[in-house]
Amino acid sequence: MAWAALPLAVLATGCGGGTASDALGDASDTRHTGPDKGAARSGDLRVEEAWIPEPAMPEMSVAYLTIANDSTEDDALVDASTSASPDTDLCSTVTTDSGASQMRVVEEIPVPAGGSTQLKSGGFHLMVNDIPDPVGVGDTVTLTLSFVSGTEVEVEAPVLERTAGNTEERDAGGDHSGHH
């Protein structure tokens, strides 16, 4: 996308307040006991807890997941594609000095050596735009993630009810109508 930032409207599928730095760190605080979420591994990279909340608007959604890096070298997610749409963006939600949340398309999402990065509400996430055939609860979307290291990870992400996420995601409310 050519734009650098968009103010967010009401947030339904998850982009709540917070900063991009909230997305780094241990993902154990959002583990769930609900429906199974997608997982895959390629080399030193593991993708866990991959899922897509049911879209509030049929033509767009988000994808959440955690990327763990077992390598001694930092890596970064630099591209993502999905089976649901030809248009997927790497995004970050940040809070401005005025307190407003803004979503920004980013060139990469860092994944530290020996650590993990969580793509979640209020931080890094994947924006799935211009979905030609609406997806719903029970569907599965293939996410293909490409990294600086050349590693590619393909993971099956189920479409789940928005309430399948953690409390933070349920409390975010709203939609991404101002995104695309």
Side-chain angles (χ1 to χ4, degrees):
M1 303 285 348
W3 42 268
L6 283 177
L8 293 179
V10 191
L11 308 165
T13 53
C15 290
T19 64
S21 62
D22 293 339
L24 297 176
D26 182 15
S28 63
D29 62 334
T30 60
R31 299 289 175 187
H32 73 288
T33 57
D36 287 339
K37 296 179 181 178
R41 179 182 193 105
S42 182
D44 289 326
L45 295 172
R46 289 180 286 122
V47 174
E48 300 170 338
E49 302 292 313
W51 71 292
I52 295 177
E54 65 183 315
M57 298 171 38
E59 66 276 357
M60 74 175 59
S61 192
V62 297
Y64 299 127
L65 52 98
T66 298
I67 305 165
N69 182 358
D70 296 331
S71 172
T72 58
E73 301 289 325
D74 291 343
D75 209 336
L77 177 64
V78 293
D79 192 37
S81 61
T82 74
S83 61
S85 170
D87 183 8
T88 302
D89 292 322
L90 308 180
C91 294
S92 177
T93 304
V94 296
T95 302
T96 65
D97 291 339
S98 68
S101 291
Q102 288 187 328
M103 185 167 35
R104 300 173 190 239
V105 174
V106 296
E107 294 294 317
E108 64 180 39
I109 297 175
V111 186
S116 64
T117 298
Q118 187 178 15
L119 280 62
K120 66 177 187 171
S121 172
F124 292 119
H125 59 278
L126 302 179
M127 218 39 239
V128 184
N129 307 301
D130 301 324
I131 299 172
D133 298 312
V135 296
V137 173
D139 291 338
T140 300
V141 174
T142 302
L143 305 176
T144 304
L145 310 175
S146 301
F147 295 84
V148 165
S149 62
T151 302
E152 189 172 278
V153 181
E154 189 172 283
V155 62
E156 299 297 318
V159 178
L160 303 173
E161 292 181 18
R162 282 186 289 274
T163 57
N166 64 24
T167 303
E168 174 185 333
E169 289 157 352
R170 286 193 302 271
D171 293 343
D175 72 36
H176 279 89
S177 61
H179 174 71
H180 202 20

